[in-house]
Amino acid sequence: MSNDRRSRLGALAATRFGLGARGDEIARASADPIGWLLAQLEGPGPTPAPRPATPERLAAAHAVERLPGSGDAAFALHRGMADADLLDRARHGAETLQPFRERWALFWANHFALRVGGPVELLAGAYVREAVDPHLTGRFADLAEAALTHPAMLAALDQPESTGPNSPAGRASGRGLNENLGREILELHTVGRAAAYDQADVVEMARLLTGWSYAGGDADEDARGRFRVDLDRREPGGRIVLGRRYAEGEALACVRHLAGRPEAHERVALKVARHFVADAPAPALVRRLAAALDRSGGSLPALAEALATAPEAWAGPGKFKRPYEFLVSAHRALGFSPSDTGTVAGFLRACGHAPLWADTAAGSSDADAVWATPAGLAHRAHLAQRLGGQAGAGDSLAAAAAALGDRLSERTRRLLGRGDLEPAEATALLLLSPEFLRR
Amino acid sequence: MTLHPDRRTLVQSAAVAGVAAWVGAANWSRARAAERPRLAVITLQGGMDGLSLAPPLRDERYHELRGGLAIAKPLPFTADFGLHPAMPKLAAMAKAGEVRLAPAAASPSRSRSHERESEVLAAGVVAAGDARGGWLNRAVAALAAGGGGASGQALDVAAPLLASGPAPFPAWAPGAPDIDPRLMGRLKRLYGDDPGLQALRADAGRLQRRTALAADGAGGSELAVRARTLGRLLAADDSPTVGSLSTGGYDTHGGQGAEQGRLADRFRDLDEALAALKAGAGPAWSRTAVLVFTEFGRTAAANGAGGTDHGVASAALLLGGAVRGGAILGDWPTLAASRLYEGRDLAPGLDLYVLFKGVLAEHMGLDRTVLDRDVFPGSTTAPALRGLSS
């Protein structure tokens, strides 16, 4: 490979697959761009900064809710935790030496997205750290199991309330099924509509899942926040989902089987290609990604390798960054970490994009058209000017070269080199340049 | 958002200059523009429970199916349907003959999936993956092609599929920051011949001024501010003739409530927003129609967990000064066990495409051929509903 080509791929590795170059990252990636990406999925990953875990959060919420007139205090607790989690995650994103791993994590957090509401803001940061981050280098079925049995997901999809009508609790109370989790496992998390499931499959799935719950904030300390099966609510009897029979209590086996089906692999392959490569990715690329999952028994590193070695992934114009990717890459380009929740949470909430939760269980959109809006540009311009002011004086041309490498265009280079720009203005323009807005 | 005093002066002097230019032919064409019909489309995301919005008054199965979720004391609405008690302002509009209820409207698809049904209702095309932007955008394109000078604006932060496509229909909601003129000039040079970014930049410059002006002094909830701003934009001569906004929180699997509770809070907010839209439109209300719909309804029965699961048909609303009040739109299949879709959901009594087409044909004046071919391609079997406009 020629040096020119290597440095071009190095720039793409850092910006398209990573979170934007920080420092000399493009130079480091250029030696072996694909190897640089894949090495990030080896080993246990970074040690997260200390933040409260799910049991502590549930206990804190329980303590607040017991107070009279606790609505405002509960809201403050949830919102405060969420904003601190956003800042914490953005800071990690701005500093990490494994930016592809972080993109990989946030992709999967969005695949198993928490629909905002209820306790989701309280728990979302812990959910990603506990259920997603530890499973990035394993099998898709393991990740699915961890995500779908986490208290945040169970609560977000109303699973603890679902009661088998013929279970002891159902017979005593007249309560019944809540289909939410069962439907979304089929539709969103695993096989999708390609498997042609029908309403009977949804109901069977919901029956199979009855009893899935977690120990809440009022539980004993050693149980609190843990997944548990509430036998009192479990619908008796075996179930048939998509033509396959499961005995009572085999809900987890069913989830794992669904996660390993070819339709699930195809669905995940399409989403990976849409996220990293293009809104309408080449069918051949999607087939290769799905085949990598099929062949490897759902190995996520095998999927990443198929992506990183696909010529299609290194071609094309690249996608428009989503608001979070813009925020983090801007900090990486300027070489400092976000330090206040106002900047991070304020920007993300205004843009309607939080990496730890979403407006719907389907997750935040990956379509360029959703984010490339006039208002989206105005929010970015506002942030770019603020960060430009914080960055102070410096060589903006050197910063542009480090941030974009060979992707820096002649037009942007000429404009940033003009003598009549204030340093803050030049920095803002770098962040708002066409090549920086895209990845 | 409060307007900066300097810019207010600027805008006022621009308006004075505009008045000075109102002579001869220009005056005539502006007057015609002012008479054009206006359309607002409000999407309720999550699957709104129509049986709580407009509970049937004479359906004996309602209370049996709904149990604790049944609305015991609805407001007067139509002959056979009440209105949720959190919506007194809409009830007043209904009394004034400005509201039509479709009690059992549904998408032509039946998947009970948020993603799929939202796409079908925004795209205006049933075939999966055949989305060419949204039907509302294509309707604006067709109006513009017909010499109507139409444009749209989505009062949302992220661009909805409904508004995406070839016609100018940018997303801009009150609260987005301004890009100052100096930076705007730099960006113009920076974006060179990049058509996408130049369009975003130019739209931002245009929209930030007109939206801030329209939003000035608007109070109330976030949704009400957007709705009032939309009403004011529709009322202005040089602004969009079509607008949209979306709002969520309707996916009530648990803790739905009845007269009070989570869903009642949504309805109260919606009621305030509809009244704000009307107030914002002012005299233009008489030329305005507002469509309100959701991606699907919810199960006819409560789910036994304090909520309802994904269903099929739900209530849709058509309101505005340009709407002819009267009988319900479509059929009411009833809640009889034998009439429920797959034994569990309110069955469709009206295809939402039929309602959409009816509004575009009667109110906006679009030709039936254009609707069948360009706006809802492949929908020739769905007729356009009649008798909607006053």
Side-chain angles (χ1 to χ4, degrees):
Chain A
M1 200 190 303
S2 72
N3 280 342
D4 277 2
R5 177 161 166 74
R6 239 198 287 275
S7 58
R8 165 100 190 140
L9 296 187
L12 283 172
T15 56
R16 180 170 297 178
F17 296 88
L19 282 160
R22 179 180 175 120
D24 63 349
E25 191 169 275
I26 289 179
R28 283 186 286 115
S30 295
D32 175 10
I34 293 172
W36 178 76
L37 292 175
L38 296 179
Q40 296 178 34
L41 293 185
E42 290 165 6
T47 312
R51 293 278 301 148
T54 294
E56 298 165 67
R57 294 175 187 224
L58 290 172
H62 180 64
V64 165
E65 282 154 14
R66 287 169 62 192
L67 303 171
S70 63
D72 290 348
F75 177 80
L77 172 70
H78 288 221
R79 183 51 61 94
M81 196 68 82
D83 286 357
D85 284 335
L86 288 174
L87 177 62
D88 193 52
R89 199 85 207 187
R91 192 180 281 150
H92 170 65
E95 293 168 0
T96 181
L97 295 173
Q98 297 173 296
F100 174 55
R101 190 185 182 106
E102 176 66 358
R103 279 282 298 288
W104 197 237
L106 297 177
F107 169 80
W108 293 110
N110 194 53
H111 178 73
F112 293 103
L114 300 176
R115 182 195 63 180
V116 72
V120 162
E121 288 200 38
L122 174 74
L123 299 177
Y127 163 78
V128 179
R129 293 157 69 110
E130 294 161 9
V132 178
D133 288 341
H135 298 283
L136 299 172
T137 60
R139 293 180 190 283
F140 179 60
D142 295 327
L143 172 63
E145 177 178 334
L148 297 173
T149 57
H150 192 278
M153 179 64 82
L154 295 171
L157 293 177
D158 309 291
Q159 180 58 28
E161 286 77 47
S162 188
T163 306
N166 299 304
S167 68
R171 283 202 309 273
S173 66
R175 294 175 73 85
L177 296 176
N178 189 313
E179 296 172 1
N180 207 3
L181 179 66
R183 179 184 301 280
E184 302 305 23
I185 287 175
L186 286 165
E187 183 189 335
L188 299 176
H189 304 134
T190 63
V191 291
R193 288 166 30 81
Y197 59 85
D198 61 15
Q199 179 59 29
D201 290 307
V202 172
V203 172
E204 284 288 270
M205 189 78 205
R207 287 182 181 133
L208 193 58
L209 289 165
T210 48
W212 276 27
S213 187
Y214 62 93
D218 54 343
D220 291 344
E221 200 177 334
D222 52 346
R224 192 183 300 148
R226 282 183 195 257
F227 173 72
R228 72 167 185 218
V229 178
D230 188 351
L231 294 176
D232 200 41
R233 291 174 183 262
R234 191 161 83 189
E235 180 74 355
R239 300 289 147 212
I240 296 176
V241 178
L242 282 172
R244 196 178 165 101
R245 180 173 288 278
Y246 301 91
E248 181 185 335
E250 285 192 326
L252 207 50
C254 176
V255 166
R256 296 188 64 97
H257 171 74
L258 292 172
R261 281 179 61 128
E263 298 97 332
H265 290 166
E266 276 164 36
R267 178 172 169 76
V268 161
L270 177 61
K271 287 185 73 174
V272 165
R274 274 194 190 142
H275 177 71
F276 285 96
V277 182
D279 282 2
L285 169 66
V286 177
R287 278 198 299 274
R288 281 206 306 287
L289 298 183
L293 283 167
D294 287 342
R295 270 199 313 274
S296 65
S299 158
L300 298 183
L303 173 62
E305 185 177 352
L307 174 71
T309 54
E312 296 95 330
W314 302 84
K319 296 194 56 163
F320 197 76
K321 286 175 184 169
R322 301 194 296 175
Y324 184 74
E325 295 150 13
F326 177 78
L327 171 85
V328 172
S329 63
H331 282 90
R332 291 177 72 84
L334 304 181
F336 59 83
S337 297
S339 56
D340 71 294
T341 52
T343 302
V344 171
F347 173 75
L348 294 174
R349 290 182 190 279
C351 292
H353 183 222
L356 306 174
W357 61 81
D359 286 340
T360 75
S364 296
S365 175
D366 259 312
D368 276 6
V370 170
W371 305 111
T373 65
L377 182 67
H379 283 295
R380 286 171 208 225
H382 188 69
L383 179 67
Q385 286 184 306
R386 183 195 286 209
L387 295 178
Q390 284 174 36
D395 183 347
S396 59
L397 269 179
L404 294 163
D406 285 9
R407 292 188 53 230
L408 180 61
S409 70
E410 191 48 43
R411 172 182 287 274
T412 302
R413 190 198 311 272
R414 266 207 320 272
L415 201 74
L416 294 182
R418 286 167 52 122
D420 61 340
L421 292 179
E422 303 287 332
E425 205 175 13
T427 303
L429 289 177
L430 160 61
L431 302 181
L432 295 170
S433 66
E435 52 269 49
F436 196 88
L437 289 172
R438 299 196 175 98
R439 55 171 166 82
Chain B
M1 173 185 280
T2 51
L3 205 60
H4 193 277
D6 291 350
R7 199 147 47 74
R8 187 199 303 265
T9 314
L10 194 71
V11 171
Q12 280 173 350
S13 42
V16 170
V19 170
W22 275 19
V23 286
N27 194 3
W28 181 77
S29 86
R30 282 184 82 107
R32 277 203 1 158
E35 285 160 16
R36 283 185 193 126
R38 310 297 209 249
L39 174 63
V41 177
I42 299 178
T43 311
L44 308 179
Q45 293 171 333
M48 182 272 292
D49 184 34
L51 293 174
S52 292
L53 178 82
L57 299 174
R58 280 171 251 289
D59 199 306
E60 57 197 25
R61 293 260 294 153
Y62 177 69
H63 286 272
E64 175 193 337
L65 286 163
R66 284 304 172 113
L69 299 186
I71 307 302
K73 291 186 179 153
L75 301 173
F77 193 21
T78 76
D80 294 317
F81 294 85
L83 186 64
H84 192 284
M87 307 198 75
K89 295 176 173 123
L90 181 61
M93 288 188 236
K95 198 174 172 191
E98 296 182 338
V99 185
R100 293 294 280 280
L101 166 72
S107 116
S109 174
R110 304 274 184 272
S111 74
R112 302 187 179 93
S113 152
H114 294 296
E115 210 175 17
R116 169 76 178 141
E117 298 303 301
S118 303
E119 185 187 318
V120 168
L121 289 175
V125 182
V126 180
D130 195 22
R132 280 162 278 180
W135 63 263
L136 193 58
N137 185 294
R138 290 194 300 274
V140 169
L143 288 166
S151 72
Q153 182 170 338
L155 278 282
D156 291 307
V157 178
L161 174 61
L162 186 68
S164 74
F169 207 132
W172 190 281
D178 288 1
I179 302 178
D180 64 64
R182 182 182 160 97
L183 181 60
M184 203 52 109
R186 304 275 193 209
L187 292 179
K188 187 172 185 179
R189 278 210 301 281
L190 185 63
Y191 294 162
D193 52 5
D194 185 320
L197 289 176
Q198 285 292 15
L200 291 189
R201 185 199 59 76
D203 279 346
R206 194 164 48 83
L207 296 168
Q208 69 192 24
R209 279 190 294 278
R210 81 177 185 201
T211 309
L213 188 65
D216 192 25
S221 73
E222 181 266 349
L223 180 64
V225 169
R226 284 193 288 147
R228 183 181 303 269
T229 305
L230 175 54
R232 288 184 183 161
L233 286 170
L234 292 175
D237 292 347
D238 54 351
S239 279
T241 46
V242 177
S244 72
L245 60 84
S246 56
T247 178
Y250 286 94
D251 196 15
T252 48
H253 287 276
Q256 174 169 322
E259 270 85 358
Q260 299 293 330
R262 186 174 149 195
L263 185 57
D265 292 345
R266 296 289 96 240
F267 286 154
R268 194 168 295 111
D269 198 22
L270 178 62
D271 193 54
E272 192 197 333
L274 293 173
L277 201 164
K278 177 177 177 173
W285 181 249
S286 64
R287 301 186 298 278
T288 300
V290 183
L291 249 175
V292 183
F293 66 92
T294 187
E295 70 257 37
F296 51 62
R298 310 196 69 83
T299 43
N303 67 4
T308 45
D309 289 322
H310 301 185
V312 177
S314 184
L317 298 167
L318 180 66
L319 61 145
V323 170
R324 184 199 296 176
I328 60 164
L329 301 174
D331 298 326
W332 171 246
T334 82
L335 296 172
S338 62
R339 301 297 305 276
L340 294 181
Y341 184 81
E342 292 185 350
R344 57 173 253 154
D345 300 329
L346 177 62
L350 176 68
D351 179 345
L352 277 167
Y353 281 11
V354 172
L355 174 60
F356 298 163
K357 281 178 156 184
V359 173
L360 293 176
E362 268 197 3
H363 176 61
M364 301 303 282
L366 273 179
D367 185 76
R368 175 69 202 268
T369 326
V370 170
L371 288 173
D372 289 350
R373 187 190 60 210
D374 301 333
V375 183
F376 294 91
S379 70
T380 41
T381 54
L385 201 59
R386 290 165 184 271
L388 304 172
S389 296
S390 56

